[in-house]
Amino acid sequence: MTYVVGVTGGIGSGKSAATAEFERLGITVVDADIVSRQVVMPGSPCLQAIAEHFGRDLLTDKGELDRKALRQKIFSAPAEKDWLNSLLHPAIREEILVQLEQASSPYVILSAPLLLENNLDKYCQRVLVVDIPEELQLQRTVQRDESPKEEIEAIMKAQLSRETRRRKADDILNNEGSIDDLRQQINQLHQRYLAATIAQEK
């Protein structure tokens, strides 16, 4: 059985920087955001269903999904959002499980912003939360995305609270400091996860 470490954290917490460090150590990362794009690639059954349901004007000239147009379409239509989620969530979950199974590193990282909200943690042996104070989260995301502060605050409100995430974590990665601090913590976690995979195999 594959030993899976779920990695999550609020917007702007630095999940990508953390998972890049694990990749540097030779660990496979299955990223739910990437999978969610893969399941709507041109020619996929999901994209076909979306085009039939919402109309072909949601496709770009290249036949790809126009994500912005789709977001606008479901933004104020809860029923349409539910329809989309019931189509995509099972497809994403299925593809995540396939990729986890195919991973050949000693353990595998499942990176998902909504790991806990979507119950993906049930596929994980450990949950690692990348954690920073909320004011720093807001500051970093506003700088990175050049988005209005209110928009980021709304996203943060929609996600699990920092306290809840920390409570559900098996391990917490403090990402307030430098990349060197982050790297040091990840090296320690890496040794711990390697030891856990060996223990599991015995």
Side-chain angles (χ1 to χ4, degrees):
M1 193 179 100
T2 314
Y3 191 93
V4 182
V5 178
V7 173
T8 193
I11 187 170
S13 58
K15 288 182 301 298
S16 300
T19 55
E21 286 301 314
F22 279 107
E23 281 184 313
R24 202 177 57 80
L25 293 166
I27 299 302
T28 301
V29 173
V30 176
D31 188 322
D33 281 345
I34 293 172
V35 172
S36 69
R37 289 194 283 276
Q38 289 170 336
V39 298
V40 291
M41 298 278 267
S44 66
C46 284
L47 186 60
Q48 203 174 330
I50 290 168
E52 282 169 13
H53 184 84
F54 291 107
R56 301 198 71 79
D57 56 332
L58 277 189
L59 302 181
T60 66
D61 298 340
K62 292 179 180 171
E64 293 168 347
L65 179 63
D66 183 337
R67 290 171 165 276
K68 197 175 178 187
L70 179 62
R71 266 200 304 272
Q72 286 168 346
K73 207 134 201 167
I74 64 169
F75 182 68
S76 52
E80 296 291 36
K81 191 178 181 180
D82 289 345
W83 180 88
L84 186 68
N85 285 341
S86 68
L87 170 77
L88 294 181
H89 283 182
I92 291 168
R93 197 170 289 243
E94 199 176 311
E95 181 57 29
I96 282 173
L97 291 175
V98 166
Q99 292 189 19
L100 289 175
E101 203 51 52
Q102 288 172 346
S104 57
S105 54
Y107 63 92
V108 55
I109 296 285
L110 168 55
S111 174
L114 301 176
L115 184 89
L116 300 167
E117 290 90 331
N118 290 343
N119 295 322
L120 292 171
D121 55 316
K122 71 179 180 188
Y123 303 116
C124 306
Q125 275 69 36
R126 305 282 295 175
V127 171
L128 170 61
V129 167
V130 184
D131 182 61
I132 58 173
E134 286 169 347
E135 57 275 14
L136 186 56
Q137 215 183 324
L138 185 62
Q139 186 188 323
R140 282 184 183 176
T141 312
V142 168
Q143 282 172 349
R144 183 193 69 190
D145 297 352
E146 295 178 351
S147 300
K149 191 178 165 194
E150 298 70 32
E151 201 176 290
I152 306 304
E153 283 174 333
I155 293 170
M156 285 170 67
K157 277 201 182 78
Q159 293 183 332
L160 279 183
S161 71
R162 184 185 180 200
E163 291 72 30
T164 306
R165 264 197 308 272
R166 287 178 64 92
R167 205 169 53 244
K168 288 174 177 269
D170 295 303
D171 303 302
I172 293 174
L173 187 59
N174 181 321
N175 196 19
E176 280 183 77
S178 67
I179 191 76
D180 283 339
D181 291 337
L182 184 72
R183 194 164 283 171
Q184 206 174 344
Q185 290 177 77
I186 287 174
N187 282 334
Q188 288 170 353
L189 288 165
H190 177 60
Q191 295 308 322
R192 199 183 305 167
Y193 298 149
L194 286 176
T197 58
I198 292 163
Q200 182 182 264
E201 283 162 13
K202 281 181 179 172

